């Protein structure tokens, strides 16, 4: 019987080596280790043995069973590993094929830049307010120290809607509205759309956008204005940017300044962008005119303030090097996709 | 203001380069628009004398000239001109010279003989008869000069000058003059300012023998001054004056007219000269015109005046439009023998209105509009008379008529010096302030820390502390302004709720793959027709611009759809295959027409899409997602917008309010925009969204602990029955065990009777108390079936 057992072992292990798929292994298990399998058959055949040989023989058969079971498990594991390996091999992809992307939406470039500005000024404690696009002459001009027939009104060609109603030519119109509604300390920016009767060309648009800034408090100085604008310039144009004031004139500020920053293109060395000067004019600003403060019921002896107006469209076209402002309002998908 | 450097140098030394001068002027508040070197157009052209003239051996028309050009040896130049002669002084362009007409002259050979340059005609030097006598004669320009050969032609033609165009800000009308700018330059460069001090003598006599002057409207003409000059000797002005006028672009006419122009440019005070013969009744009356009164101005144009226009009239009729232009009848003529000089201040808004109304703009009106100083009137008159004497143009009659209602005293300001520093945030020494202000002719003294400033009348813009601070600082230097960080509250700035909600809205839409656009707020009035809006549609009540750039930008938009369609069309025509756009902007709704108050500005959203993936439901999906994010509980009902497909459009309602509509664009409207594809648009008002999200409070709900039971339901119903109705019926009948009802199929066609449709839903039942059994669900289903049957639905089995 021992020989029979030995032969079975050799045959079973030999066969196991040749099996390569899970079905064959199951078949193997049934044929050898199942209830009617050959190993079980050996156990049944033990009845024919003398009683004293049975324990030993039973032990051998159980050994064989254990041995085959563990070989089978081993084989199973090997095959699984092999199959997995093969599957992984077969599933190799050309990773250079394009991804499945959903089309991404996006903000208009003007609003991307505006959001940056809002963030910068919010962090400096500026509230963001709003004002109407259709304004009265009072808020757009008179309250800003530009009386009727004043030559300063020549500086901006205004769209009129009625005797006293116009499309605001500047977000500065929000100054007086704000000062009437809030008491100092005031620290606001007012972004918005403004209108001037400029014929459309590569650098002019009758519709454009500004961000007005206004600070009113006790002891506000021209140096504070420079501090705020320097912070703004550093965030927008980079930390190395220098800010320069040049005297200028706006009816609603006194002193008034034009603000230049070192050209971000050449770092101030002079190039085509800055026309060789090393400086780029970015905005107009100044200390709020005492008459503007007084007109809003704020005592100019007690309070001072500054105001500034940033041209959003220009900031946007310079940031992205957009050569023609009309592109901003044409809204070609291929243009908008770039931002 | 274009000003020549040579002219400026009559009043101030300029010991620095033009570039340095301009830099310093820019930093003190005078932008430089351009610098024009008048000599730059011509180089290497000299006055040369013809020593010897010979015929060219091989050309009949050419002559060989031996020329003295101031060099050791004569040079040879060949010319084709016939008017040259030995001994003549002529302009010679030497080798490698440039002419104003763009020619570049080089040494060359003419018919085999060398020519070292070219003799020039007046035309080749771009000269007119007025620039140089004989300049328009055919042939070489024969110079009438007593200068050595070799003298640079630029010197002879007075081209050695530089014209700087300064941009004068509106607060500095005093600098619309050479003297005003010279004064600034003197301060900036620390040089002495030498303003002319006019003196002259009269021949006696009395002005009152000639003229009487009456001002009837002192409000429009605060000052009017007249002087008489007799025995006029009208002739051309001297070169220096012609040169000055030429740099300013003013044509020289004769000594008298040139003096009025020169004085205007020099002092900023416009002047006028009347031929005394033509002043009828020996009187000048400054008055407003009578309605419809006619006048013919110097330029030969006829005008009809209105009652608010100021004129200078004689005893009979208007002779001048005050401050704008003289009349044709009283201008200075070659045989004029006596004149009346006018020097006046007219109110700027009056001049401005009249000039605008009549469509006129002159050097004079431009200056009056900017503001002329009442104090300069007398100075300018004296200066003109001084020049009359200097140029020997006539004899000055004794006496002046100076009409005004009192001249203003100089403004006196008292300001603490420290308060100027407080505004600036710098520490300008008090003595420095005093020095700067005095140099600007603002007479200033300092006592106990208080500045007392007497402001001259030409600096009417200096009214208080802020103005003095600016004067001090622009001379002291803005580079002294350091930057100080903001102090005070360190609270982050706040956004208005509307802005926060708009940001959220954009965020949601971008998440749907949508691109934001930006379009003009005004549109063509005709654009509304492309939407086929009814005549009484509220959107036809538009806010209209009084002075639009053109019809296409003439009304403020009352809807965003036409702008969106325009953008969609642009993209479609440029073959952009598919787009998803949105715009957040304002609608303008007049509260009354004609407009008497600010219109309502209504925040609104438009959406526009096309592309082969898009249909009505992709648009609706965007709208639903958006509204869900804002917690808006909306209903969708059929709508009847004329620009939308009649069967594929819906209104979004919240309660009883329609907040917007959306759908497929009507093919006729799409056609109007040249789009032959299906296009989808939506427009929503945003206020209801903002109001809804105000109320949204997000609270966590526990996740379900027990499994849901799913039942599918296939129904057969009339094809007109809206699915939303069925869904609502199921939801209502399902009670609280029914968690969700989801549509998964709508089908019409084979196996379905005509006029019917099959609709299938998935129903999920769940209880928080335990796993549901059939016994729990069956009664609920039975109730649902019953309600559906009432709606005419039958179960499909």
């Amino acid at each position: 019987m021992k020989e029979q057992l030995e032969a079975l072992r050799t045959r079973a292990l030999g066969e196991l080596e040749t099996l390569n798929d899970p079905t064959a292994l199951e078949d193997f298990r049934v044929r050898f280790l199942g209830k009617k399998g050959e190993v079980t058959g050996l156990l049944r055949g033990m009845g024919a043995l003398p009683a004293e040989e049975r324990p030993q023989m039973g032990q051998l058969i159980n050994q064989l069973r254990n041995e085959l079971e563990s070989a089978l498990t081993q084989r199973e594991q090997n095959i699984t590993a092999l199959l997995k390996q093969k599957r992984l091999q077969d599933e190799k992809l050309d990773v250079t094929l394009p991804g499945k992307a959903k089309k991404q939406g996006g903000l208009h470039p003007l609003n991307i830049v505006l959001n940056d500005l809002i963030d910068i000024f919010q962090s400096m404690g500026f509230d963001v307010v709003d004002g109407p696009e259709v304004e009265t002459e009072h808020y757009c001009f008179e309250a800003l120290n530009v009386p009727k027939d004043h030559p300063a009104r020549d500086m901006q060609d205004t769209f009129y809607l009625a005797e006293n109603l116009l499309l605001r030519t500047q977000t500065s119109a929000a100054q007086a509205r704000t000062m009437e509604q809030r008491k100092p300390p005031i620290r606001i920016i007012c972004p918005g759309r403004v209108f001037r009767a400029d014929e459309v060309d590569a650098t002019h648009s009758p519709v454009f956008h500004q961000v007005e800034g206004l600070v009113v408090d006790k002891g506000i100085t021209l140096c504070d204005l420079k501090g705020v604008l320097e912070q703004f310039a550093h965030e927008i144009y980079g930390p190395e940017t220098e800010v320069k004031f040049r005297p200028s004139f706006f009816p609603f500020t006194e002193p008034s300044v034009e603000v230049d920053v070192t050209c971000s293109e050449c770092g101030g060395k002079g190039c085509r962008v800055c026309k060789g000067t090393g400086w780029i004019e970015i905005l107009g600003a100044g200390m709020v005119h005492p008459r503007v403060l007084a007109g809003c019921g704020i005592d100019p002896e007690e309070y001072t303030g500054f105001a500034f107006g940033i041209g959003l469209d220009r900031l946007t076209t310079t940031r992205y090097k957009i050569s023609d402002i009309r592109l901003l309002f044409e809204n070609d998908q291929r243009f908008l996709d770039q931002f | 203001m274009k000003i020549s450097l040579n002219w400026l140098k009559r009043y101030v030394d300029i010991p620095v380069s033009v570039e340095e001068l301009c830099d310093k002027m820019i930093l003190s508040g005078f932008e430089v628009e351009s610098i024009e070197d008048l000599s730059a157009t011509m180089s290497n052209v000299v006055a040369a004398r013809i020593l010897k003239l010979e015929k060219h051996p091989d050309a009949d028309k050419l002559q060989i000239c031996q020329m003295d050009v101031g060099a050791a040896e004569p040079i040879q130049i060949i010319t084709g001109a016939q008017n040259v002669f030995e001994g003549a002084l002529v302009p010679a362009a030497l080798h490698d010279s440039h002419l104003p007409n763009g020619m570049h002259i080089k040494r060359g050979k003419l018919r085999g003989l060398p020519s070292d340059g070219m003799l020039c005609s007046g035309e080749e030097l771009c000269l007119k008869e007025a620039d140089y006598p004989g300049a328009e004669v055919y042939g070489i320009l024969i110079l009438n000069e007593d200068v050595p050969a070799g003298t640079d032609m630029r010197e002879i033609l007075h081209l050695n000058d530089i014209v700087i165009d300064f941009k004068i800000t509106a607060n500095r009308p005093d600098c619309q003059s050479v003297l005003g700018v010279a004064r600034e330059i003197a301060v900036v460069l620390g040089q002495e300012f030498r303003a002319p001090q006019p003196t002259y003598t009269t021949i006696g006599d009395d002005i009152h023998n000639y003229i009487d002057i009456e001002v009837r409207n002192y409000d429009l003409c605060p000052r009017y001054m007249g002087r008489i000059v007799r025995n006029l000797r009208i002739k051309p002005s001297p070169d220096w004056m012609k040169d000055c006028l030429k740099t300013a672009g003013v044509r020289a006419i004769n000594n008298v007219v040139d003096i009025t122009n020169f004085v205007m440019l020099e002092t900023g005070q416009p002047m006028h000269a009347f031929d005394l013969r033509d002043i009828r009744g020996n009187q000048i009356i400054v008055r407003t015109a009578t309605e419809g009164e006619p006048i013919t101005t110097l330029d030969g144009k006829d005008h009809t005046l209105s009652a608010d226009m100021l004129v200078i009239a004689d005893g009979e009729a208007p002779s001048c439009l005050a401050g704008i232009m003289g009349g044709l009848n009283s201008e200075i003529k070659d045989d004029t023998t006596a004149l009346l000089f006018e020097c006046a201040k007219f109110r700027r808004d009056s001049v401005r209105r009249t000039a605008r109304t009549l469509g006129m703009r002159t050097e004079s009106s431009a200056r009056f509009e900017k503001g002329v100083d009442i104090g300069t009137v007398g100075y300018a008159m004296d200066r003109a008379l001084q020049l009359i004497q200097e140029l020997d143009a006539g004899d000055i009659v004794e006496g002046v008529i100076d009409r005004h209602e009192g001249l203003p005293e100089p403004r006196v300001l008292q300001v603490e010096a420290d308060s100027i520093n407080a505004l600036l945030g710098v520490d300008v020494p008090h003595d420095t302030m005093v020095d700067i202000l005095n140099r600007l002719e603002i007479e200033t003294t300092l006592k106990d820390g208080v500045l007392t400033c007497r402001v001259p009348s030409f600096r009417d813009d200096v009214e208080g502390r802020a103005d003095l601070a600016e004067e001090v600082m622009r001379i002291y230097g803005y580079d002294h302004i350091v930057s100080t960080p903001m102090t005070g509250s360190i609270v982050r700035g706040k956004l208005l709720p509307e802005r926060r909600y708009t940001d959220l809205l954009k965020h949601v839409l971008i998440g749907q793959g949508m691109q934001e656009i930006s379009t003009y707020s005004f549109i063509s009035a005709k654009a509304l027709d492309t939407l086929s809006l009814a005549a009484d549609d509220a959107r036809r009540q538009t806010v209209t611009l009084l002075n639009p750039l053109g019809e296409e930008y003439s009304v403020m938009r009352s809807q965003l759809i036409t702008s969106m369609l325009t953008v969609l069309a642009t993209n479609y025509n440029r073959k952009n295959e598919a787009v998803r756009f949105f715009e957040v902007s304002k609608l303008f709704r007049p509260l009354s027409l004609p407009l008497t108050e600010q219109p309502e500005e209504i925040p609104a959203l438009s959406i526009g899409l096309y592309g082969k993936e898009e249909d009505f439901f992709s648009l609706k999906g965007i709208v639903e997602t958006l509204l869900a994010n804002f917690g808006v509980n909306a209903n969708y009902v059929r709508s009847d917008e004329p620009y939308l497909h009649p069967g594929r459009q819906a209104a979004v309602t919240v309660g009883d309010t329609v907040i917007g509509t959306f759908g497929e664009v009507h093919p006729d409207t799409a056609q109007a925009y040249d789009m032959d594809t299906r296009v989808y648009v939506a427009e929503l008002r945003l206020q209801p969204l903002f109001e809804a999200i105000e109320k949204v409070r997000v609270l966590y709900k526990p996740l379900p602990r027990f499994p849901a039971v799913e039942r599918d339901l296939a129904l057969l119903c009339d094809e007109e029955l809206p699915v939303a109705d069925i869904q609502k019926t199921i939801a209502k009948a399902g009670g609280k065990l029914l968690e969700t009802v989801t549509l998964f199929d709508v089908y019409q066609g084979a196996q379905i009777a005509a006029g019917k449709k099959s609709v299938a839903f998935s129903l999920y039942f769940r209880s928080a108390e335990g796993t549901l059994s059939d016994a729990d669900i069956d009664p609920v289903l039975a109730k649902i079936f019953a309600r559906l049957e009432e709606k005419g639905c039958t179960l499909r089995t």
Side-chain angles (χ1 to χ4, degrees):
Chain A
M1 188 150 185
K2 265 190 188 166
E3 295 76 38
Q4 203 182 340
L5 186 140
E6 204 45 49
L8 178 60
R9 176 208 304 271
T10 313
R11 183 158 54 83
L13 288 178
E15 185 179 334
L16 194 59
E17 282 300 307
T18 69
L19 300 181
N20 276 324
D21 69 285
T23 335
L25 286 182
E26 187 53 31
D27 177 60
F28 178 91
R29 179 197 307 281
V30 173
R31 276 192 291 114
F32 289 96
L33 301 167
K35 282 181 189 171
K36 293 177 182 170
E38 291 190 46
V39 176
T40 323
L42 282 181
L43 276 175
R44 270 197 217 103
M46 270 201 329
L49 289 180
E52 65 276 14
E53 287 181 23
R54 282 184 202 163
Q56 195 202 351
M57 200 59 213
Q59 207 177 351
L60 284 174
I61 294 171
N62 276 332
Q63 262 175 15
L64 174 62
R65 168 184 288 275
N66 289 343
E67 191 181 350
L68 287 183
E69 272 179 355
S70 82
L72 181 67
T73 310
Q74 185 61 49
R75 187 69 196 161
E76 263 173 355
Q77 282 171 356
N78 289 350
I79 286 176
T80 312
L82 272 174
L83 284 178
K84 192 191 282 173
Q85 205 176 359
K86 182 171 186 313
R87 179 167 67 88
L88 291 178
Q89 250 162 24
D90 291 349
E91 285 175 353
K92 190 173 81 176
L93 295 177
D94 177 356
V95 295
T96 67
L97 289 174
K100 291 179 203 165
K102 269 213 150 178
K103 178 116 181 60
Q104 172 91 345
L107 287 175
H108 191 274
L110 284 170
N111 282 328
I112 296 174
V113 177
L114 175 58
N115 282 350
D116 288 352
L117 292 194
I118 288 177
D119 196 48
I120 291 166
F121 285 106
Q122 261 193 298
S123 76
M124 287 192 268
F126 285 75
D127 287 350
V128 184
V129 304
D130 223 343
E133 290 172 17
V134 175
E135 262 298 1
T136 59
E137 284 189 313
H138 173 77
Y139 285 108
C140 201
F141 293 132
E142 272 109 65
L144 294 172
N145 196 31
V146 189
K148 269 202 171 58
D149 287 313
H150 188 278
R153 286 200 190 182
D154 275 351
M155 288 158 59
Q156 40 216 354
D157 289 349
T158 310
F159 288 119
Y160 274 86
L161 304 172
E163 173 75 31
N164 178 37
L165 294 173
L166 44 83
L167 296 178
R168 66 175 169 191
T169 56
Q170 47 193 4
T171 43
S172 310
Q175 281 189 24
R177 285 188 178 275
T178 304
M179 285 190 274
E180 283 172 2
Q181 285 161 11
R182 301 173 171 219
K183 290 300 143 205
I186 292 169
R187 204 183 284 190
I188 57 112
I189 58 169
C190 176
R193 185 165 262 209
V194 296
F195 306 84
R196 284 183 204 174
D198 279 330
E199 289 291 347
V200 184
D201 66 21
T203 52
H204 294 90
S205 167
V207 176
F208 57 105
H209 303 80
Q210 288 182 335
V211 178
E212 184 77 6
L214 175 70
V215 170
V216 180
D217 203 348
K218 288 180 184 170
I220 296 292
T221 72
L222 196 59
C223 290
D224 296 333
L225 169 63
K226 193 165 184 186
V228 165
L229 293 179
E230 207 164 80
Q231 173 94 25
F232 157 76
H234 288 176
E235 302 228 18
I236 290 287
Y237 299 102
E240 307 300 323
T241 308
E242 287 172 47
V243 173
K244 184 173 84 174
F245 280 0
R246 262 185 302 123
S248 186
F249 169 71
F250 307 107
F252 36 94
T253 49
E254 186 76 30
S256 301
V257 291
E258 289 286 356
V259 181
D260 295 345
V261 295
T262 40
C263 176
S264 53
E265 195 66 26
C266 62
K269 288 194 278 291
C271 66
R272 196 180 48 80
V273 173
C274 56
K275 296 182 186 116
T277 62
W279 296 93
I280 290 189
E281 183 179 319
I282 55 161
L283 56 88
M287 302 302 291
V288 181
H289 198 290
R291 207 175 284 150
V292 173
L293 290 173
C296 299
I298 294 175
D299 181 359
E301 295 295 315
E302 189 177 358
Y303 292 99
T304 54
F306 61 75
F308 56 87
I310 302 169
L312 184 60
D313 308 70
R314 173 109 180 281
L315 199 58
T316 305
T317 51
T318 36
R319 174 189 288 192
Y320 297 116
K321 298 194 171 40
I322 299 169
S323 54
D324 190 329
I325 194 174
R326 284 171 290 200
L327 287 163
L328 290 175
F329 300 101
E330 192 179 74
N331 301 295
D332 189 315
Q333 174 89 60
R334 297 163 297 177
F335 171 79
L336 297 170
D337 272 348
Q338 297 177 26
F339 306 99
Chain B
M1 171 100 198
K2 287 191 173 177
I3 302 184
S4 114
L5 206 57
N6 287 347
W7 196 346
L8 285 168
K9 283 177 180 169
R10 300 174 74 88
Y11 320 113
V12 60
D13 291 339
I14 302 178
V16 298
S17 69
V18 177
E19 289 70 28
E20 190 179 339
L21 171 68
C22 289
D23 282 349
K24 290 198 160 153
M25 288 300 280
I26 289 168
L27 290 177
S28 76
F30 294 87
E31 258 184 72
V32 172
E33 307 252 49
S34 66
I35 303 173
E36 186 192 355
D37 184 346
L38 298 184
S39 69
T41 60
M42 193 192 294
S43 70
N44 228 3
V45 184
V46 300
R49 193 166 303 278
I50 303 176
L51 299 174
K52 197 172 156 203
L53 210 56
E54 293 170 297
K55 284 272 177 209
H56 192 294
D58 297 326
D60 288 347
K61 292 194 172 166
L62 295 182
Q63 303 196 76
I64 304 161
C65 315
Q66 301 306 321
M67 307 292 302
D68 176 4
V69 294
E73 294 292 321
I75 63 167
Q76 173 171 302
I77 293 178
I78 297 175
T79 182
Q82 301 303 314
N83 69 328
V84 290
F85 51 90
E86 284 181 1
L89 193 66
V90 296
L94 306 180
H95 172 64
D96 197 20
S97 58
H98 290 268
L99 302 187
N101 67 356
M103 286 173 78
H104 183 194
I105 306 299
K106 288 185 192 161
R107 176 178 294 141
K109 280 189 175 174
L110 279 171
R111 288 288 177 97
L113 291 179
S115 179
D116 279 342
M118 186 182 88
L119 304 188
C120 306
S121 67
E123 190 184 353
E124 281 156 344
L125 298 178
C126 295
L127 298 173
K128 297 280 178 220
E129 192 64 32
D131 299 316
Y132 199 92
E136 291 181 33
V137 168
Y138 181 76
I140 300 301
L141 176 63
I142 307 297
L143 297 172
N144 176 27
E145 303 282 334
D146 186 17
V147 294
T151 304
D152 193 322
M153 278 304 292
R154 291 179 292 200
E155 209 172 292
I156 293 167
L157 297 170
H158 306 280
L159 291 179
N160 284 323
D161 200 355
I162 291 170
V163 175
I164 307 170
D165 190 1
F166 290 105
K167 187 172 167 189
I168 308 297
T169 51
N171 59 327
R172 295 301 305 274
D174 61 301
C175 288
Q176 298 283 347
S177 67
V178 182
L179 281 175
V181 172
R183 180 188 294 116
E184 290 291 327
I185 290 175
V187 175
V188 166
L189 297 182
Q191 294 289 327
E192 186 200 352
F193 174 47
R194 300 184 303 267
Q197 302 299 324
T199 55
Y200 49 86
T201 53
T202 70
I203 53 160
D205 202 347
D206 183 0
I207 187 171
H208 295 98
N209 296 334
Y210 299 90
I211 197 81
D212 184 33
I213 296 174
E214 178 191 353
V215 175
R216 291 194 185 152
N217 301 80
Y218 280 112
D219 54 334
L220 302 182
C221 173
R223 189 174 186 186
Y224 193 99
M225 181 183 276
R227 293 289 303 239
I228 300 285
V229 179
R230 256 175 37 186
N231 306 329
L232 287 179
R233 296 176 282 278
I234 295 197
K235 55 192 170 189
S237 302
D239 283 353
W240 66 264
M241 185 175 276
K242 284 189 194 166
D243 288 345
C244 285
L245 293 175
K246 192 176 169 189
T247 57
V250 175
R251 201 162 51 95
I253 294 171
N254 60 44
N255 50 3
V256 169
V257 175
D258 291 353
I259 284 172
T260 60
N261 285 328
F262 181 86
V263 169
M264 174 175 71
L265 293 164
E266 185 187 51
T267 66
Q269 169 68 53
M271 289 195 71
H272 186 62
F274 297 84
D275 186 330
L276 203 54
R277 287 177 298 184
D278 298 321
I279 300 178
R280 290 158 297 189
N282 293 332
Q283 60 172 339
I284 286 288
I285 303 168
V286 183
R287 60 166 171 85
T288 47
T290 53
E291 193 69 38
E293 209 168 3
I295 188 172
T296 305
T297 42
L298 262 174
D299 53 1
K301 291 197 176 123
D302 297 322
H303 303 277
T304 306
L305 306 178
S306 59
D308 60 342
M309 295 176 176
L310 192 70
V311 296
I312 314 301
D314 60 16
E316 293 179 18
S319 176
C320 273
L321 282 170
I324 300 171
M325 196 179 276
L328 193 56
N329 60 346
S330 60
E331 71 172 319
I332 299 296
K333 295 164 272 288
D334 286 344
D335 63 348
T336 303
T337 56
L339 65 76
L340 168 71
F341 267 144
E342 164 197 291
C343 209
K345 175 178 170 69
F346 302 112
R347 220 172 76 186
R348 62 190 188 191
D349 49 344
S350 160
V351 173
R352 177 180 149 106
R353 256 199 311 272
T354 304
R356 300 252 147 148
T357 310
L358 299 177
M360 302 177 78
R361 187 181 158 86
T362 59
E363 279 278 343
S364 167
S365 72
R367 282 188 163 72
F368 279 113
E369 284 183 32
K370 284 172 181 137
V372 158
D373 166 37
I374 197 163
T376 306
V377 168
Y379 177 80
M381 180 65 92
D382 287 343
R383 177 67 174 144
L385 295 174
Q386 180 190 30
L387 289 168
I388 286 284
Q389 197 148 56
E390 195 178 317
L391 270 54
D392 188 32
D395 299 330
I396 302 159
V397 168
E398 183 63 42
V400 55
I401 297 178
D402 186 7
R403 302 285 181 223
H404 56 77
E405 291 186 313
L407 297 176
E409 286 294 307
R411 185 181 285 138
V412 177
L413 302 175
Q414 290 206 308
V415 173
E416 279 181 40
D418 280 337
S419 78
I420 288 180
N421 279 332
L423 182 67
L424 297 169
V426 292
D427 215 358
V428 184
H430 296 183
D431 290 345
T432 305
M433 291 186 190
V434 174
D435 179 51
I436 289 172
L437 293 171
N438 276 318
R439 278 156 62 200
L440 288 167
E441 296 186 20
I442 300 171
E443 273 177 51
T444 303
T445 53
L446 176 71
K447 195 182 174 196
D448 301 331
V450 176
L451 298 168
T452 303
C453 309
R454 281 169 64 88
V455 183
S457 64
F458 65 82
R459 288 307 306 273
D460 197 34
D461 61 305
V462 176
E463 295 173 300
R465 168 173 79 142
D467 307 294
L468 291 172
E470 179 168 72
E471 292 307 304
V472 167
M473 206 57 215
R474 71 186 181 86
I475 302 299
Y476 189 62
Y478 273 91
D479 49 339
H480 287 94
I481 299 287
V482 294
S483 62
T484 50
M486 287 286 281
T487 51
S489 148
I490 51 156
V491 175
R492 185 174 169 82
K494 291 178 199 62
L495 297 177
L496 293 176
E498 287 79 3
R499 187 170 288 277
R500 276 192 288 127
Y501 301 150
T502 304
D503 285 348
L504 169 67
L505 175 110
K506 292 181 181 181
H507 187 75
V508 172
L509 292 170
I510 288 168
Q512 305 282 304
M514 308 205 62
Q515 172 64 48
E516 186 183 28
I517 62 169
S518 181
T519 61
Y520 285 177
S521 308
F522 31 57
I523 58 169
S524 160
K526 290 183 199 134
L528 292 170
D529 296 334
T530 65
L531 299 184
S532 312
L533 296 183
D536 61 349
D537 192 296
R539 285 166 289 192
R540 285 197 182 270
Q541 303 290 307
T542 51
V543 174
T544 306
L545 275 65
L546 298 181
N547 57 333
L549 284 180
E551 199 282 329
E552 60 176 327
Y553 305 133
S554 59
V555 299
M556 300 305 288
R557 53 189 172 179
S558 55
Q559 45 72 40
L560 300 178
I561 297 296
T562 54
S563 304
M564 178 57 82
L565 286 171
T566 305
V567 171
L568 291 173
T570 301
N571 279 273
Y572 182 71
N573 291 329
R574 292 183 183 180
K575 310 276 186 267
N576 292 331
E577 276 180 13
V579 299
R580 289 190 148 198
F581 287 147
F582 74 94
E583 178 171 29
V584 178
S585 193
K586 286 170 165 180
L587 307 181
F588 295 83
R589 189 168 71 190
L591 299 173
S592 60
L593 279 178
L595 208 61
T596 53
E597 57 189 310
Q598 283 168 282
E600 196 179 354
E601 297 184 12
I602 303 167
L605 162 74
S606 68
I607 293 175
L609 11 140
Y610 68 76
K612 63 177 190 293
E613 304 291 319
E614 308 295 2
D615 59 22
F616 176 86
F617 293 105
S618 58
L619 174 59
K620 187 177 178 188
I622 293 165
V623 174
E624 285 173 330
T625 306
L626 177 63
L627 296 181
N629 271 278
F630 278 79
V632 176
N633 194 5
N635 286 314
Y636 301 88
V637 298
R638 283 203 185 281
S639 57
D640 56 356
E641 285 287 14
Y643 60 87
L644 294 176
H645 187 306
R648 297 184 173 185
Q649 58 166 304
V652 184
T653 62
V654 176
D656 296 334
T657 317
V658 175
I659 66 167
T661 49
F662 65 93
E664 184 177 320
V665 173
H666 195 291
D668 292 348
T669 301
Q671 192 57 53
Y673 288 84
D674 285 333
M675 287 186 285
D676 54 359
T677 187
R678 291 183 193 269
V679 181
Y680 305 89
V681 294
E683 180 178 289
L684 292 177
R685 282 188 293 114
L686 295 180
Q687 205 54 44
L689 276 65
F690 298 162
E691 281 162 20
I693 198 164
E694 282 280 340
K695 295 178 196 137
V696 170
R697 295 290 170 270
V698 178
L699 293 174
Y700 153 80
K701 280 198 285 276
L703 299 179
R705 290 166 56 210
F706 301 103
V709 178
E710 184 187 354
R711 288 282 193 279
D712 286 350
L713 209 59
L715 303 167
L716 204 59
C717 67
D718 191 279
E719 66 180 351
E720 290 294 320
L721 183 65
V723 168
D725 275 12
I726 309 176
Q727 192 156 357
K728 264 186 217 159
T729 306
I730 297 173
K732 200 171 168 206
K736 64 178 201 298
L737 286 186
L738 178 61
E739 192 177 67
T740 57
V741 189
T742 315
L743 175 80
F744 72 86
D745 187 40
V746 180
Y747 176 73
Q748 278 181 291
Q751 296 149 7
I752 305 293
K756 296 278 180 187
K757 65 183 171 190
S758 157
V759 186
F761 296 93
S762 279
L763 279 54
Y764 278 81
F765 296 91
R766 199 196 301 268
S767 160
E769 270 82 57
T771 306
L772 294 173
S773 67
D774 287 352
D776 299 317
I777 292 168
D778 288 344
V780 182
L781 278 175
K783 187 176 167 193
I784 290 173
F785 295 153
R787 294 284 170 277
L788 287 174
E789 263 173 33
E790 291 165 15
K791 285 262 168 194
C793 300
T794 53
L795 272 184
R796 257 188 101 196
T797 43

